[in-house]
Amino acid sequence: SQRHLLGLINDVLEFARIEAGRVEYHVATLPVATLLSELEDFVRPQLRERDLEFHCDQPRDEVLVRADPDKARQILLNLLSNAVKFTPPKGQIDVRCEQVDGRVFIRVHDTGIGIAPDRLESVFEPFVQVHRTLTEPTGGVGLGLAISRDLARAMGGDLRAESTVGAGSTFTLDLPAAPRVQQT
């Protein structure tokens, strides 16, 4: 309960810092493979608890982004936590990466409950929880996706969602690709 309450308080404080323009970014060139290799370790206990299959395609080492490593990790962990939360037991979560025209797209796809088309954009609004009911609370205050999108945009990227009710959701983190340094 204490950890849960601390997480809620931290979300509210983080959102307030973002809204006030008081978040510092330390943008660097970052290999996507390094960023993705850390993810499963963080969510493995939740994956096991919910009996979910997890697959992460590791991109080539030369796929690089310009991002704040801590902020990029925070976004991806939030996306994975949501995927775990909204995917029924025996479901699957996949993480894939692709580089196209100077952009890197990291997609987190789940086989969860999905989001209705008319609610899809509202998931990025602060304090919105599309799936919260009185009988099945989801355990947050509805700031994770709002914070994640703001962080992505502040790093020159974006966060988008696609979903089909009953078939799952895909959240795509779009970040600027870093140019490869030519070795001589």
Side-chain angles (χ1 to χ4, degrees):
S1 293
Q2 290 173 336
R3 255 194 309 255
H4 177 71
L5 183 57
L6 181 60
L8 296 176
I9 292 168
N10 283 335
D11 280 351
V12 171
L13 292 173
E14 178 80 0
F15 184 72
R17 280 192 295 273
I18 290 170
E19 290 297 301
R22 294 187 179 189
V23 175
E24 289 186 28
Y25 293 87
H26 304 284
V27 174
T29 296
L30 173 68
V32 175
T34 301
L35 185 63
L36 296 183
S37 68
E38 304 167 341
L39 292 178
E40 187 173 2
D41 290 339
F42 283 107
V43 296
R44 187 175 293 124
Q46 297 96 323
L47 292 167
R48 248 190 243 122
E49 181 181 310
R50 295 192 46 94
D51 196 19
L52 299 174
E53 190 175 319
F54 179 77
H55 184 263
C56 182
D57 282 345
Q58 287 294 328
R60 300 176 318 275
D61 286 338
E62 66 267 8
V63 176
L64 306 170
V65 292
R66 293 285 300 157
D68 179 308
D70 293 332
K71 306 295 189 283
R73 191 176 301 109
Q74 179 180 348
I75 294 166
L76 290 170
L77 286 174
N78 182 59
L79 296 179
L80 278 173
S81 294
N82 284 348
V84 168
K85 189 185 317 183
F86 295 109
T87 301
K90 307 282 186 209
Q92 183 169 334
I93 299 169
D94 295 305
V95 178
R96 301 190 190 293
C97 173
E98 109 180 276
Q99 184 172 352
V100 179
D101 296 331
R103 308 299 297 176
V104 174
F105 302 97
I106 303 170
R107 292 182 175 85
V108 176
H109 173 77
D110 64 61
T111 57
I113 60 177
I115 304 165
D118 63 326
R119 301 297 312 264
L120 199 54
E121 198 55 32
S122 69
V123 300
F124 294 108
E125 294 172 13
F127 305 106
V128 169
Q129 292 183 317
V130 172
H131 296 293
R132 174 165 257 172
T133 67
L134 292 175
T135 58
E136 259 184 73
T138 58
V141 292
L143 286 174
L145 290 173
I147 289 170
S148 293
R149 181 179 259 184
D150 286 347
L151 293 175
R153 287 179 172 175
M155 294 185 293
D158 205 356
L159 184 59
R160 291 182 285 285
E162 302 169 48
S163 188
T164 302
V165 174
S169 302
T170 301
F171 285 82
T172 302
L173 173 60
D174 164 7
L175 291 170
R180 286 187 269 258
V181 178
Q182 297 293 330
Q183 307 250 335
T184 55

